[in-house]
Amino acid sequence: MFDFYRVAACVPKVFVGDTEYNTDKILEKLSEAYDYDASIIAFPELAVTGYCCQDLFFQDTLMSGVNEALGRIIDSTVDREEVIVVGAPLLLDNRLYNTAFVIMNTRILGISVKTFIPNHSEFYEKRWFASADTLSKSSLSFSELGIELSFDIEDYEIPVGNNIIYDINGKIKFAVEICEDLWAPIAPSNIFALGGAELIVNISASNETIAKREYRKSLVKHQSAALHAEYLYVSAGADESTQDLIFSGHSLLAENGAVINENKDFIATDYLLIADMDLGKIRHDRKVSTTFSDAAYKFRKEISKLTTLFVSDIDLPSSDGEYIIASKKPFIPGTKVKRIKRCNEIFEMQVGGLARRLSLTGSKPVVGVSGGMDSTLTLLVAAQALAKLGREPSDLIAITMPAFGTSDRTYNNSLELIKALGAEPLVINIKDACIQHLKDLGHDLEAKDVTYENTQARERTQVLMDYANKIGGLVVGTGDLSELALGWCTYNGDQMSMYGVNGSIPKTLVRWMIDSVVENDIFPEAKNVLTDILDTPISPELLPPDEEGNISQKTEEKVGPYELHDFFIYYSLRYGYTPTKIFFLAKKAFKDDYSEEEIKKWMTMYYRRLFSQQFKRSCMPDGVKVGSVSMSPRGDLRMPSDASIALWMKEVESL
């Protein structure tokens, strides 16, 4: 369903060398994973024997126990459609190999073999195991294994090696690498991914040392990001031998560079880690990445050595997405520490971009200040850019232009903010100019329509542009990503500037950007007014205030909640998801906030405006890109202004 598949990392109890006990525990964990409807279930490296058997690997008794254990595991998969990946030693042509048996519905689909055998520091695996590169054959028959089952089967060939991709009925392609393979300069998973594997399963027995957990985690995250892949990592638990080492049972699933689940205990064993993969993210990014496709071409010789095993007679169950993480605010980190760090980095990028433009042009920044959040953030960026260039705050040209809809609160806040930043506010009242313009058009002044509203927006832009010409300035735009997506801006009005700093920042993030400035005390004199601005309702203030002088025109009442629109923006533009999939995720994320009817209503609004307002984005000014989504026609979104919305609306209407 929606390319969701559930995986399980199983870390069972283990007694080193006791294959009977270990198999009992593996079967217990399998039963638990079945209860969670996991599709792919992975156990640690050498889980059947325990990793630390050392010279016991040479004992025939242990290897006989391995065969009995594998027989019991295969027996347990009758009428099961899940994929099981379990680590066990394999004796082949008088060589021992460290392998992963991939099992599904009473069959061994393949035996993936470890390539890089560590023999340094605390590791001396080469004493027992040979590399996959020394294999003398690429397949073996089931009968050669000597595994006895409780039922009769016809003999069949099993692929064996370090070049196997498993394709389960065209639903998902995955490959297995083992522990040290990940740590190699060029990991097998690199070639697997370029050859089509979307999920890499790494079964491991990685001992714990100081700081190794974070390093291991960074490796997994990086590999999943570089390969545009899912990466399931499962490692041996604390029941392994502690003769010289300690094992921690570290398991995690990384998706395209982000960890979506990880075991919490530092030293752990006897647990199950469940996560839902969203292969839609992987497939989208591989589709749009020319680098990925170029790399596949460059390494075509290595890819040609891969064997893709297609399993057509069993249908891998998909997931209902219960464990899919769908944050209500996908652009915003979940913790305060991460959020402030992210906002600081973005602020520095905005400042850096504007500072460079100001230094090249020798201009003064000209900002129209309304007392709202967007213009506030732009003003803060401009002030900091001047500070970065070593220029005086008086070079900041901040113009506030009250008109028909300006409230006392926003007007006073704009003046106070400008002064707090060390600049002198320039007040240009545009009411008379707008009235004259409307009279020239023969427009009824009582008609509070789009002409009435846009006259003010365009007059403000004209003032800013002409004043910039007068003093050698550069008009810095205030519009944000959400407004661009919805086209919630006046064409050749606030849609236009000479440089934009907020264009790839969604509305939900703008608030936290200002909050981080307050938290970091960057402009201490402005702290109080910034706090009040954050509490002010979002409004274009183009309609007169109410009888009590309060803001009467609230944007979210007109176009819908920005948190919903930012959610739609993220999943439609970052990952190209269908309306149906976005609707599913939105229902999951906002189940306590909006009804299905409300979500559908605002989704309809989003798609209609996304398509109809592209002409405004086609001629948007230069501006710095700071995040994963941008609408610049020179960057992330190249879209015809007259594209048909029919297919998207047909799907939305069917929800």
Side-chain angles (χ1 to χ4, degrees):
M1 184 179 184
F2 301 129
D3 299 321
F4 299 154
Y5 290 92
R6 186 161 301 159
V7 295
C10 300
V11 181
K13 289 184 177 181
V14 63
F15 272 135
V16 176
D18 191 340
T19 55
E20 262 189 53
Y21 176 88
N22 297 341
T23 304
D24 288 341
K25 297 306 174 184
I26 288 171
L27 294 178
E28 286 178 12
K29 283 287 172 280
L30 274 179
S31 181
E32 289 181 44
Y34 293 155
D35 288 341
Y36 280 97
D37 298 322
S39 299
I40 297 176
I41 306 165
F43 292 86
E45 180 180 12
L46 297 169
V48 169
T49 58
Y51 175 76
C52 299
C53 288
Q54 301 185 51
D55 284 1
L56 293 178
F57 285 120
F58 294 136
Q59 295 285 317
D60 291 342
T61 301
L62 183 68
M63 295 308 295
S64 294
V66 169
N67 283 353
E68 291 177 11
L70 290 170
R72 290 178 60 195
I73 294 170
I74 294 169
D75 276 343
S76 75
T77 65
V78 174
D79 296 327
R80 304 296 318 189
E81 294 185 333
E82 298 84 359
V83 172
I84 300 163
V85 182
V86 61
L90 171 69
L91 180 62
L92 189 61
D93 294 335
N94 287 319
R95 284 197 184 103
L96 279 172
Y97 294 95
N98 186 339
T99 73
F101 280 73
V102 179
I103 300 166
M104 189 179 193
N105 195 9
T106 72
R107 295 204 317 259
I108 299 173
L109 300 183
I111 303 174
S112 295
V113 184
K114 189 171 183 176
T115 300
F116 297 101
I117 311 300
N119 218 57
H120 53 266
S121 302
E122 63 266 42
F123 299 105
Y124 37 95
E125 277 187 39
K126 285 186 179 179
R127 180 179 176 91
W128 312 294
F129 298 112
S131 167
D133 290 337
T134 70
L135 283 166
S136 59
K137 58 179 69 176
S138 59
S139 68
L140 52 83
S141 66
F142 180 79
S143 59
E144 288 181 77
L145 291 171
I147 296 173
E148 294 185 5
L149 302 177
S150 62
F151 50 87
D152 294 330
I153 62 165
E154 292 184 9
D155 203 10
Y156 61 94
E157 287 293 304
I158 303 168
V160 56
N162 60 352
N163 63 338
I164 308 170
I165 293 178
Y166 303 88
D167 184 340
I168 310 300
N169 208 20
K171 297 293 185 65
I172 179 175
K173 292 181 180 180
F174 73 94
V176 182
E177 65 180 6
I178 302 175
C179 199
E180 187 74 6
D181 290 351
L182 167 63
W183 303 66
I186 299 177
S189 52
N190 291 71
I191 306 303
F192 288 143
L194 293 175
E198 300 162 315
L199 164 67
I200 306 297
V201 178
N202 186 301
I203 64 170
S204 182
S206 182
N207 67 305
E208 205 57 63
T209 56
I210 293 172
K212 190 174 182 180
R213 180 183 176 101
E214 281 307 307
Y215 184 71
R216 187 190 299 119
K217 180 177 177 178
S218 69
L219 269 179
V220 172
K221 287 176 62 178
H222 168 79
Q223 196 70 347
S224 73
L227 303 182
H228 295 306
E230 307 279 352
Y231 201 104
L232 175 62
Y233 182 92
V234 56
S235 189
D239 290 319
E240 280 285 349
S241 171
T242 56
Q243 181 178 2
D244 293 303
L245 306 173
I246 184 77
F247 294 82
S248 66
H250 187 196
S251 299
L252 66 152
L253 179 70
E255 182 175 80
N256 229 7
V259 172
I260 60 175
N261 204 1
E262 178 182 18
N263 76 298
K264 301 299 184 288
D265 294 333
F266 180 57
I267 303 296
T269 194
D270 193 25
Y271 73 85
L272 187 73
L273 184 76
I274 294 290
D276 279 337
M277 305 181 297
D278 185 352
L279 293 182
K281 293 181 179 179
I282 305 306
R283 291 165 179 168
H284 173 272
D285 281 6
R286 288 188 179 183
K287 181 169 56 179
V288 301
S289 172
T290 56
T291 301
F292 189 87
S293 57
D294 287 347
Y297 180 76
K298 182 176 180 62
F299 290 95
R300 60 194 181 280
K301 290 182 180 179
E302 289 79 4
I303 293 171
S304 68
K305 299 173 185 176
L306 297 175
T307 296
T308 299
L309 179 66
F310 186 70
V311 181
S312 60
D313 56 341
I314 297 175
D315 194 9
L316 187 71
S318 60
S319 167
D320 60 6
E322 179 182 354
Y323 297 100
I324 286 289
I325 299 171
S327 169
K328 287 195 285 189
K329 294 180 172 61
F331 289 103
I332 302 171
T335 67
K336 182 177 180 179
V337 171
K338 289 182 179 179
R339 186 178 70 236
I340 291 176
K341 182 176 183 294
R342 174 80 56 82
C343 289
N344 289 346
E345 291 171 350
I346 293 172
F347 190 68
E348 289 183 20
M349 284 188 277
Q350 291 177 286
V351 169
L354 180 58
R356 176 64 175 159
R357 185 57 61 99
L358 293 175
S359 70
L360 286 172
T361 60
S363 305
K364 294 181 179 181
V366 177
V367 182
V369 186
S370 67
M373 288 193 295
D374 288 346
S375 67
T376 293
L377 179 57
T378 299
L379 192 67
L380 296 174
V381 170
Q384 191 70 353
L386 289 173
K388 182 181 179 70
L389 294 171
R391 290 166 58 176
E392 294 298 320
S394 57
D395 277 357
L396 177 59
I397 309 302
I399 306 176
T400 185
M401 295 163 279
F404 307 133
T406 305
S407 66
D408 290 342
R409 180 181 185 179
T410 54
Y411 176 70
N412 291 329
N413 277 344
S414 64
L415 297 180
E416 185 178 342
L417 176 61
I418 295 166
K419 292 175 182 177
L421 296 178
E424 188 61 35
L426 176 60
V427 180
I428 300 177
N429 194 306
I430 63 169
K431 286 182 181 178
D432 290 342
C434 289
I435 289 172
Q436 182 59 52
H437 182 62
L438 290 170
K439 287 181 177 178
D440 291 342
L441 296 177
H443 188 80
D444 184 356
L445 296 180
E446 296 302 315
K448 308 297 192 294
D449 56 8
V450 67
T451 303
Y452 176 90
E453 294 186 28
N454 285 346
T455 289
Q456 298 167 75
R458 291 195 177 99
E459 179 61 27
R460 286 184 172 120
T461 301
Q462 177 175 252
V463 169
L464 292 171
M465 293 287 182
D466 291 346
Y467 199 86
N469 290 159
K470 178 181 177 181
I471 53 95
L474 181 141
V475 178
V476 188
T478 62
D480 62 49
L481 178 71
S482 308
E483 291 180 344
L484 285 169
L486 296 169
W488 193 249
C489 51
T490 300
Y491 189 71
N492 205 32
D494 52 317
Q495 169 257 356
M496 187 49 62
S497 67
M498 298 173 181
Y499 192 77
V501 293
N502 294 343
S504 63
I505 301 178
K507 185 74 78 175
T508 50
L509 185 57
V510 170
R511 175 180 298 277
W512 292 112
M513 291 291 300
I514 298 171
D515 182 76
S516 73
V517 170
V518 174
E519 285 281 346
N520 288 286
D521 218 21
I522 297 175
F523 300 104
E525 297 84 0
K527 187 171 184 177
N528 290 337
V529 66
L530 288 176
T531 301
D532 192 63
I533 288 170
L534 287 172
D535 290 334
T536 304
I538 299 169
S539 172
E541 290 196 312
L542 297 174
L543 295 178
D546 63 21
E547 294 179 357
E548 298 177 358
N550 297 317
I551 294 171
S552 64
Q553 187 183 22
K554 297 178 181 178
T555 300
E556 291 180 294
E557 292 178 359
K558 180 76 172 179
V559 297
Y562 273 118
E563 62 179 352
L564 274 180
H565 287 306
D566 287 353
F567 189 91
F568 302 152
I569 290 168
Y570 182 79
Y571 285 107
S572 65
L573 298 182
R574 173 64 184 86
Y575 290 114
Y577 285 175
T578 64
T580 305
K581 187 169 183 177
I582 298 172
F583 186 62
F584 171 86
L585 293 171
K587 288 190 296 180
K588 184 179 178 68
F590 295 99
K591 61 181 184 299
D592 298 324
D593 304 290
Y594 304 102
S595 66
E596 290 186 17
E597 291 74 17
E598 288 176 303
I599 294 171
K600 180 177 177 179
K601 171 185 174 181
W602 298 121
M603 179 181 279
T604 302
M605 169 76 79
Y606 167 71
Y607 277 106
R608 288 194 184 282
R609 295 193 68 92
L610 179 71
F611 275 76
S612 67
Q613 303 295 298
Q614 172 61 22
F615 72 99
K616 295 178 181 177
R617 299 185 290 268
S618 292
C619 56
M620 62 184 283
D622 289 358
V624 59
K625 174 184 175 179
V626 301
S628 59
V629 179
S630 167
M631 292 197 163
S632 169
R634 298 168 297 279
D636 292 58
L637 187 65
R638 302 186 184 194
M639 172 180 170
S641 300
D642 51 3
S644 172
I645 193 178
L647 291 178
W648 285 263
M649 288 314 302
K650 181 179 179 181
E651 188 170 336
V652 170
E653 289 165 2
S654 70
L655 297 175

